[in-house]
Amino acid sequence: WVKFFNSISYQFSLKVLDTVDCGAPQKIKRTFVVGNRFGLLYRFPEKPNKIISIDDAILFFKISADN
């Protein structure tokens, strides 16, 4: 599929991200592919400074459900 999209002038950015670096309270690695035909390379967001613990996540959902 990469050859096909390259042949029609798509630019791709590819990165393996860990969900813990995206604010999720668990470690799961996922591959993200972002493509466009504007000649731009996608810049993935920087890692957050704070890692969310499972306790923080549960507390957040409990507070959200109470309101």
Side-chain angles (χ1 to χ4, degrees), residues 15-65:
K15 189 170 185 176
V16 176
L17 298 174
D18 193 328
T19 56
V20 77
D21 295 330
C22 299
Q26 55 189 331
K27 289 183 169 241
I28 301 172
K29 292 188 178 181
R30 297 286 187 250
T31 301
F32 289 84
V33 180
V34 180
N36 69 71
R37 289 179 30 173
F38 303 111
L40 305 172
L41 290 178
Y42 180 77
R43 293 180 61 184
F44 288 91
E46 298 293 323
K47 292 181 182 181
N49 292 330
K50 181 183 179 195
I51 295 176
I52 298 171
S53 71
I54 192 70
D55 292 334
D56 291 340
I58 291 170
L59 180 62
F60 171 78
F61 286 114
K62 182 176 179 340
I63 291 170
S64 295

